[in-house]
Amino acid sequence: DAMVIQNPRYQVTQFGKPVTLSCSQTLNHNVMYWYQQKSSQAPKLLFHYYDKDFNNEADTPDNFQSRRPNTSFCFLDIRSPGLGDAAMYLCATSSNSGRLQGNEQFFGPGTRLTVL
Amino acid sequence: SQQGEEDPQALSIQEGENATMNCSYKTSINNLQWYRQNSGRGLVHLILIRSNEREKHSGRLRVTLDTSKKSSSLLITASRAADTASYFCARRGTSYGKLTFGQGTILTVHP
């Protein structure tokens, strides 16, 4: 089945130790998103890739970076995790034929990050 | 805030009852989408309603949109215990492709 896969599902890291979360998709969608969701809050968009074009949200900290080496994979790098970065990180994809298209997004199961 | 506001924040009902959740927003939209999130999991798309549509149905779901009031509602009829989840509205703006999510409604359906 076509899907969005996130690994690992649970990640524990130490304060300041770099961590990478991964996302892969078999939907062949051209847009991939990374969201941060803290407990009982709405998902907050960090950035997205429209094909190879990287789009950062204005309030996303520099501590967060992303890579998309090909259509199928996208990575979220947290260079120096702080206690406030503990959250669920959600990857999503969509197929947009144009920048003004607003089709549904398909989400992975998320990676829950714990920072010790 | 650019985010949509949802109410109620939490809703507790008995199986078989209807559940209504409301979403308001502040700026113009291209479309508005509703998502469900089971505890500790990713979001699942439920339904999308475009700005030129007023009502849409999908199974037991009914969504309405009133662009003059900048509000939408999601009705789940004949609820089931399996409907227990958080429900989020997400608005798609007119000039940018991203979704902005509301704070969500936590629905609990008791057997």
Side-chain angles (χ1 to χ4, degrees):
Chain A
D1 288 341
M3 57 198 312
V4 181
I5 302 162
Q6 290 189 245
N7 287 304
R9 293 291 312 280
Y10 300 91
Q11 176 72 57
V12 180
T13 190
Q14 292 180 336
F15 182 94
K17 185 175 181 181
V19 66
T20 295
L21 309 181
S22 71
C23 176
S24 63
Q25 54 129 341
T26 60
L27 298 162
N28 202 32
H29 284 171
N30 60 328
V31 191
M32 294 187 76
Y33 309 81
W34 279 104
Y35 291 86
Q36 180 192 65
Q37 185 180 27
K38 296 189 176 180
S39 181
S40 300
Q41 294 186 20
K44 178 180 178 298
L45 183 64
L46 296 173
F47 25 58
H48 76 279
Y49 275 93
Y50 188 100
D51 295 320
K52 295 181 180 180
D53 186 15
F54 177 71
N55 298 271
N56 199 32
E57 292 301 300
D59 56 355
T60 298
D62 292 341
N63 197 27
F64 291 87
Q65 304 286 321
S66 185
R67 296 170 284 134
R68 189 180 186 185
N70 54 53
T71 301
S72 300
F73 285 87
C74 195
F75 300 98
L76 170 62
D77 301 308
I78 308 177
R79 294 192 295 186
S80 182
L83 298 179
D85 297 328
M88 175 78 88
Y89 289 88
L90 297 165
C91 174
T93 72
S94 70
S95 178
N96 288 21
S97 59
R99 282 193 172 271
L100 296 183
Q101 297 299 314
N103 296 338
E104 65 183 281
Q105 294 186 10
F106 294 79
F107 283 80
T111 294
R112 183 164 297 282
L113 178 69
T114 300
V115 181
L116 301 178
Chain B
S1 166
Q2 292 294 311
Q3 293 181 335
E5 300 294 330
E6 293 187 55
D7 75 273
Q9 290 187 332
L11 180 60
S12 181
I13 59 174
Q14 295 296 127
E15 219 170 21
E17 294 180 341
N18 295 341
T20 300
M21 289 159 267
N22 303 295
C23 171
S24 63
Y25 55 92
K26 297 183 179 180
T27 57
S28 297
I29 60 169
N30 174 283
N31 66 60
L32 190 140
Q33 303 177 30
W34 286 89
Y35 288 80
R36 182 186 74 225
Q37 185 177 36
N38 289 86
S39 180
R41 302 300 299 256
L43 283 77
V44 175
H45 181 269
L46 295 175
I47 199 165
L48 180 155
I49 187 165
R50 300 190 188 281
S51 59
N52 60 352
E53 297 175 316
R54 292 296 167 259
E55 188 170 312
K56 207 161 183 179
H57 297 256
S58 176
R60 293 184 295 114
L61 305 180
R62 172 179 169 247
V63 168
T64 61
L65 178 64
D66 187 335
T67 52
S68 66
K69 295 182 180 178
K70 291 187 168 58
S71 67
S72 174
S73 66
L74 170 66
L75 168 67
I76 304 174
T77 59
S79 64
R80 305 166 182 168
D83 295 328
T84 295
S86 294
Y87 291 82
F88 292 91
C89 69
R91 68 173 183 83
R92 168 67 161 81
T94 55
S95 60
Y96 189 86
K98 74 176 186 179
L99 292 179
T100 303
F101 285 84
Q103 291 300 311
T105 294
I106 300 171
L107 174 65
T108 303
V109 182
H110 300 281

